């Protein structure tokens, strides 16, 4: 059995990465704030709150779908089934997409542009270090079925 077939990652890096990015955005917002001019009152806060709720719904829906299909939820565990239903019909990485949307929502709520910047960096790092390994794992486990799924479903949105 090759290393990718056993499990995609040795540690669940993406959740840890996004938590660090959120903490970094808060710290940078305090130590090196970027001025934001707004005159829309509650609109950014309401939009941000809506995005956070959408992100939570997406994450819970994706986790519930994985649990119902009896496969791993944590990214460092091997997948026992290829899940292509639920939110996985629309994106191959709904949980990571939810994390990213949540960061954008917090950026709007707090009017802190560092959330947008670090969300972009988190997407790049998650793609480079986690998603590619997860895709190799799924390809080695499910072969052509996973290739067909990749052709039909985008990685992010």
């Amino acid at each position: 059995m090759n290393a990718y077939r056993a499990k995609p990652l040795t540690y669940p890096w993406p959740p840890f990465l996004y938590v660090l990015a959120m903490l970094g955005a808060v710290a940078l917002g305090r130590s090196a704030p970027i001025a934001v001019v707004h005159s829309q009152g509650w609109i950014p806060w309401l939009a941000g709150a809506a995005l956070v709720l959408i992100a939570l719904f997406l994450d819970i829906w994706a986790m519930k779908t994985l649990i119902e299909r009896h496969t791993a939820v944590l990214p460092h565990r091997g997948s026992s089934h290829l899940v292509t239903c639920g939110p996985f019909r629309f994106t191959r990485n709904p949980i990571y997409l939810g994390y990213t949307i949540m960061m954008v929502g917090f950026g709007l709520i707090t009017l802190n542009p560092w959330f947008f910047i670090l969300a972009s960096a988190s997407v790049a790092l998650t793609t480079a270090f986690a998603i590619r390994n997860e895709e190799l794992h799924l390809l080695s486990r499910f072969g052509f079925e996973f290739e067909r799924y990749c052709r039909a479903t985008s990685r992010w949105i």
Side-chain angles (χ1 to χ4, degrees), residues 48-110:
L51 286 176
V52 168
L53 289 175
I54 289 168
L56 286 171
F57 172 77
L58 182 59
D59 281 348
I60 291 168
W61 184 24
M63 289 178 202
K64 181 179 179 289
T65 302
L66 291 172
I67 291 168
E68 287 173 349
R69 299 301 181 265
H70 305 288
T71 194
V73 174
L74 295 175
H76 68 294
R77 304 262 170 93
S79 295
S80 55
H81 302 287
L82 179 63
V83 178
T84 60
C85 58
F88 295 92
R89 289 178 296 181
F90 310 110
T91 174
R92 294 194 313 251
N93 298 288
I95 295 173
Y96 303 153
L97 179 60
Y99 294 163
T100 305
I101 292 170
M102 189 174 298
M103 283 193 68
V104 170
F106 285 137
L108 287 171
I109 289 170
T110 62

Side-chain angles (χ1 to χ4, degrees), residues 120-157:
S120 299
S122 296
V123 166
L125 291 171
T126 299
T127 300
F129 296 111
I131 291 175
R132 294 203 178 150
N133 286 336
E134 290 173 5
E135 288 176 347
L136 287 172
H137 165 73
L138 293 170
L139 182 62
S140 71
R141 291 289 307 249
F142 305 109
F144 179 72
E145 188 179 354
F146 180 67
E147 287 178 354
R148 185 176 22 187
Y149 172 63
C150 288
R151 283 194 296 274
T153 310
S154 68
R155 183 180 278 162
W156 285 95
I157 51 173

